[in-house]
Amino acid sequence: MSDNGHQQNGHENVPSRQRRRFEGISSRTYEHPADRSALVALRKLSGFDTVFKALSGLLPERSLRLLFLSDSVRVSDAQFAHLNTMLRDACHILDLEKVPPMYVAQDPQPNAMCIGLDEPIIVVTTGLVELLDEEEMRAVVGHEVGHALSGHAVYRTILLFLTNLALRVAWIPLGNIAIMAIVTALREWFRKSELSADRAGLLVGQDLKASMRGLMKLAGGNHLHEMNVDAFLEQAEEYEAGGDLRDSVLKILNTLPRTHPFTTVRAAELKKWAESRDYQRIMDGHYPRRTEDKETSVSDSFRQSAASYATDVKNSKDPLMKLVSDIAGGAGDLGGRVRRGFGGFAGGTPKDQTAPKDQTTPEDRTSPKDQPPRDSTPEDDD
C-alpha cells in the first residue's frame, strides 16, 4: 500500500494505516440490488456488450478519449502523483488487474466520471481535486474504480450518447419519445449504480467519516466548520418523511431528469449500508468472488431486486410510499387518504375534515326538475 504520511502538491496525507484488500472480489458484493439485477441480466445476454461495442463508431468515445488526451492532464508518477498513488491503491484493494487511465480536466464544477466502451477511463475535475482532502478524494477514486469493476462504463457511455441523440431528434415526436423512454430507464439504473459505487468507495477508503465529509462538501462546498454530519443526515430524514402526496409527486418529478441521487440521500444510504451486517461480513473477508459470477441466477437477482424495492416501500416514510404500502396491505378509506394527502385539493374537502352526512329525508329533498335553472357562466365551468 502507498499510504505514507507526507505532503504532496499541497495535499496533506493522514498517518499511514493498513487497508484490507479484497482479493478476487466480485462487483456483486457492493452493488445495489436494483443495479445488480440489471447488470446480471445484461451480462447473461450473449453478445450484448459486443453489439454495443460494435456501435463504437456511432458513439462519441473516440472523440472523448482524444479530447481528454489533448486538453486534460493524464495522471501518472510525473503528474498528479498523489492521485496516481490513490488510483493504484484502489485497483489493488478491489483487485482490478488493469489500472484504467485517469485524467484531470480543468472545470470549476466538482465532478468525476468513468466512461468508455473498449476500456474505461476515469476523469476528475480540478474543482473536485481542490475541494476534497486526501481521504475524501480516496473515496471518490474508489467510487470510480468501482464503476470500472462493475462494467458500468459501457452503459454510462451509452446513456451520454442517447441523451445527446434525444436533443438532436427532439423535433421528431415519436423518435424523441422512444429515445427518452430508454433514457429514463437508464437514468433509474444510473442512480442505483451511483449507490453501488459509493459502497465501492467506502470499501477502498475504509473511512466512513471521510466518505460522509466528501458528500457534504459536494452539497455545501468547502465549509466543513459550518456543517455537521448528524444535521446533514437529518435533512435526508426530513426530505423522505416530510410533506404530503403533492411533495411526493414533486420529488419524483425532480428526480427523473437526474443521473445521481440527491446528496443527502446518498449519505443516508451509505451510512445505513456501513452499519449493516453485509458490510461487516465483507470486511471480515466473506464476499462473492468473480469466479462465481457465471453461476449467478438472473431470476435470483431479480427476486433480490424486487425484495429490495418492496422493503424500501414498506420502510419508507414518504407519504406516497406509505399509501402504496397501505394499498398493498389492504388498508381502507383510500379516497379519504388521497384527499387528505393532497391537502384537500383532490376532493374539495378541507384537510382532516369530512363532508357532513345528508340529514334530510327524501320528502325534504327538492327534485332537480323543481329547481330553478342555472345560467351557465365561465365561473360555473371552473
Side-chain angles (χ1 to χ4, degrees):
M1 297 285 177
S2 301
D3 236 357
N4 301 321
H6 60 284
Q7 189 167 332
Q8 291 181 337
N9 301 335
H11 292 261
E12 186 176 349
N13 290 343
V14 298
S16 166
R17 66 183 177 88
Q18 186 69 29
R19 290 176 173 81
R20 176 178 290 279
R21 181 175 187 246
F22 305 100
E23 187 174 357
I25 188 172
S26 168
S27 60
R28 292 181 292 115
T29 302
Y30 56 80
E31 285 165 355
H32 185 281
D35 174 24
R36 188 189 313 136
S37 63
L39 290 175
V40 168
L42 290 174
R43 290 166 185 155
K44 289 290 184 179
L45 290 177
S46 179
F48 178 84
D49 286 349
T50 304
V51 170
F52 274 113
K53 289 177 182 179
L55 298 175
S56 58
L58 300 176
L59 299 177
E61 182 188 21
R62 286 181 179 271
S63 63
L64 285 174
R65 287 182 182 277
L66 290 173
L67 177 63
F68 293 127
L69 185 63
S70 63
D71 206 31
S72 301
V73 176
R74 183 162 56 191
V75 171
S76 66
D77 288 332
Q79 302 185 115
F80 289 101
H82 72 289
L83 293 181
N84 194 44
T85 298
M86 287 185 211
L87 177 62
R88 291 200 306 266
D89 283 355
C91 292
H92 177 73
I93 290 171
L94 294 181
D95 200 12
L96 184 63
E97 184 176 350
K98 187 173 183 179
V99 179
M102 183 175 179
Y103 294 88
V104 176
Q106 170 60 29
D107 188 342
Q109 182 71 28
N111 197 14
M113 60 180 174
C114 179
I115 57 174
L117 293 174
D118 296 324
E119 60 181 36
I121 60 173
I122 296 173
V123 181
V124 296
T125 65
T126 52
L128 188 68
V129 175
E130 293 163 3
L131 177 66
L132 304 182
D133 68 22
E134 198 79 8
E135 289 302 293
E136 295 158 6
M137 194 68 200
R138 189 183 301 278
V140 169
V141 173
H143 175 112
E144 299 305 326
V145 170
H147 279 313
L149 181 59
S150 287
H152 289 159
V154 173
Y155 314 114
R156 293 161 73 87
T157 305
I158 294 167
L159 177 58
L160 287 173
F161 169 71
L162 289 176
T163 302
N164 291 333
L165 182 61
L167 295 175
R168 295 179 183 178
V169 300
W171 59 277
I172 307 176
L174 293 180
N176 185 50
I177 291 173
I179 292 175
M180 287 310 299
I182 299 174
V183 167
T184 300
L186 276 173
R187 280 177 179 158
E188 167 61 13
W189 162 77
F190 199 109
R191 289 188 290 270
K192 295 300 185 290
S193 76
E194 285 299 311
L195 299 179
S196 298
D198 283 344
R199 297 175 179 182
L202 180 58
L203 291 178
V204 168
Q206 298 173 27
D207 184 346
L208 179 61
K209 291 181 179 178
S211 294
M212 302 301 277
R213 290 199 310 267
L215 289 170
M216 284 197 300
K217 283 185 176 181
L218 289 177
N222 194 13
H223 303 281
L224 277 178
H225 63 287
E226 298 285 354
M227 293 184 277
N228 178 275
V229 173
D230 292 334
F232 189 66
L233 292 172
E234 286 175 5
Q235 291 181 226
E237 181 83 10
E238 182 179 344
Y239 170 78
E240 181 186 8
D244 53 26
L245 291 180
R246 290 170 298 178
D247 295 303
S248 298
V249 173
L250 290 174
K251 291 176 191 176
I252 295 173
L253 295 177
N254 287 339
T255 301
L256 283 177
R258 294 178 60 92
T259 55
H260 288 59
F262 293 110
T263 317
T264 57
V265 175
R266 290 173 64 182
E269 287 283 340
L270 185 61
K271 185 173 185 294
K272 182 169 65 175
W273 187 70
E275 295 172 347
S276 69
R277 184 182 177 187
D278 288 342
Y279 176 73
Q280 189 55 54
R281 284 179 56 81
I282 297 168
M283 296 305 295
D284 290 339
H286 304 292
Y287 51 83
R289 264 61 173 181
R290 261 169 267 169
T291 53
E292 305 164 359
D293 283 350
K294 292 183 179 180
E295 302 171 5
T296 306
S297 167
V298 177
S299 58
D300 286 346
S301 297
F302 276 117
R303 276 195 293 269
Q304 292 173 8
S305 177
S308 173
Y309 274 117
T311 300
D312 288 346
V313 170
K314 182 179 179 180
N315 296 333
S316 176
K317 298 178 182 179
D318 179 83
L320 180 58
M321 293 299 101
K322 287 177 69 67
L323 180 62
V324 171
S325 180
D326 287 348
I327 293 172
D333 190 24
L334 176 59
R337 290 288 301 278
V338 172
R339 285 195 297 272
R340 290 192 294 273
F342 279 101
F345 287 104
T349 305
K351 188 177 182 179
D352 296 327
Q353 294 184 15
T354 57
K357 293 182 178 180
D358 190 355
Q359 302 296 325
T360 60
T361 64
E363 291 77 14
D364 295 330
R365 298 190 186 112
T366 304
S367 172
K369 66 180 181 180
D370 296 328
Q371 294 178 357
R374 294 180 60 199
D375 293 331
S376 178
T377 64
E379 290 74 19
D380 291 330
D381 292 338
D382 291 339

